[in-house]
Amino acid sequence: MKIQTTTADFLIEKCEFDTGCVCIRSNSQDELFRFFGSLEINLTQDTHFTYEVRACKQEFANALIVMVKEIDYSEFSEFSLGMSLV
């Protein structure tokens, strides 16, 4: 799954080592630290998703909650419900 925010891009994949975890990669070390500061951030060989953390699904869910709470809905003002049904 890909998630794009105004400050970073994230790629979320299943963890090959542990089914209870996910691997979160990003182009922003700062954003990974902000969401997963207690976890080890590693460098990857990927040129776009340069940093990664492995997090349990609950830690990832908590980060998603924070991401959703930070959405600036004023940026969606040009769209309306009527337009989305077309």
Side-chain angles (χ1 to χ4, degrees):
M1 167 176 49
K2 290 185 183 179
I3 298 173
Q4 185 175 29
T5 68
T6 56
T7 54
D9 295 334
F10 299 91
L11 177 65
I12 295 84
E13 300 177 318
K14 68 179 182 176
C15 182
E16 296 177 14
F17 310 106
D18 185 352
T19 58
C21 291
V22 292
C23 179
I24 302 109
R25 295 186 177 139
S26 180
N27 61 336
S28 172
Q29 184 178 19
D30 292 337
E31 287 298 279
L32 280 180
F33 183 77
R34 190 166 74 88
F35 290 116
F36 305 100
S38 63
L39 301 176
E40 182 181 355
I41 299 173
N42 299 304
L43 286 170
T44 71
Q45 300 298 320
D46 190 316
T47 57
H48 183 71
F49 298 104
T50 311
Y51 307 98
E52 74 176 359
V53 297
R54 284 184 170 63
C56 75
K57 291 178 181 179
Q58 184 61 55
E59 289 169 312
F60 176 59
N62 293 340
L64 282 177
I65 290 168
V66 172
M67 285 181 191
V68 169
K69 287 182 176 182
E70 292 178 350
I71 293 173
D72 180 2
Y73 290 97
S74 66
E75 295 179 8
F76 295 93
S77 62
E78 67 186 66
F79 300 102
S80 70
L81 180 59
M83 288 180 64
S84 66
L85 299 175
V86 175

